[in-house]
Amino acid sequence: VQLVESGGGLAQPGGSVRLSCAVSGFPDPDYAMGWFRQVPGKEREGVGCISLSVGSTYYRSSVKGRFAISGDYDKNTAYLHMNTLNPEETAAYYCAIGTGCGSIWYDDPEVWEYWGQGTQVTVSP
């Protein structure tokens, strides 16, 4: 199983970034994709998730209305669209595969099975 992330980089405060996560080798067609972020010295926190087969999503309250997760089921790729970014959201962002998406799963790294390598997003003037 391989998850390949792309799209990180530098953004200005108030700016936007789109991350991609391409999945290969996962045998279960009904899976969820989660997005997490982590800064050094802090725990990894869930940003949101999507159930790729049905398109349902769940978000951390602090990103609702600014971030959006979408998925292309045929391409086995999920996207994290981040808008109105603030410097406090500078972090390494990770995608992960799991079996469910919702309030129980989105913020618990332990229930996600496979992880991408992470991509750095830096929000700075």
Side-chain angles (χ1 to χ4, degrees):
V1 179
Q2 189 174 22
L3 286 72
V4 179
E5 299 181 44
S6 59
L10 179 66
Q12 294 201 342
S16 300
V17 171
R18 188 186 81 162
L19 305 182
S20 302
C21 181
V23 179
S24 61
F26 194 73
D28 186 352
D30 295 321
Y31 63 90
M33 177 77 75
W35 287 95
F36 289 76
R37 61 189 179 191
Q38 188 171 26
V39 297
K42 293 190 176 181
E43 293 186 355
R44 191 168 294 189
E45 68 175 22
V47 174
C49 56
I50 183 169
S51 176
L52 273 173
S53 60
V54 298
S56 60
T57 54
Y58 191 90
Y59 297 98
R60 185 176 203 85
S61 59
S62 62
V63 307
K64 283 182 182 177
R66 299 186 299 117
F67 289 15
I69 298 174
S70 62
D72 187 329
Y73 187 68
D74 291 335
K75 294 182 178 180
N76 285 326
T77 300
Y79 306 93
L80 175 62
H81 309 260
M82 302 186 288
N83 301 304
T84 320
L85 285 161
N86 61 67
E88 291 71 35
E89 293 176 310
T90 293
Y93 283 74
Y94 298 86
C95 62
I97 288 179
T99 56
C101 173
S103 60
I104 298 175
W105 293 276
Y106 89 98
D107 198 26
D108 184 356
E110 297 296 321
V111 303
W112 297 84
E113 298 180 55
Y114 298 95
W115 291 82
Q117 79 281 8
T119 185
Q120 179 69 30
V121 175
T122 301
V123 185
S124 179

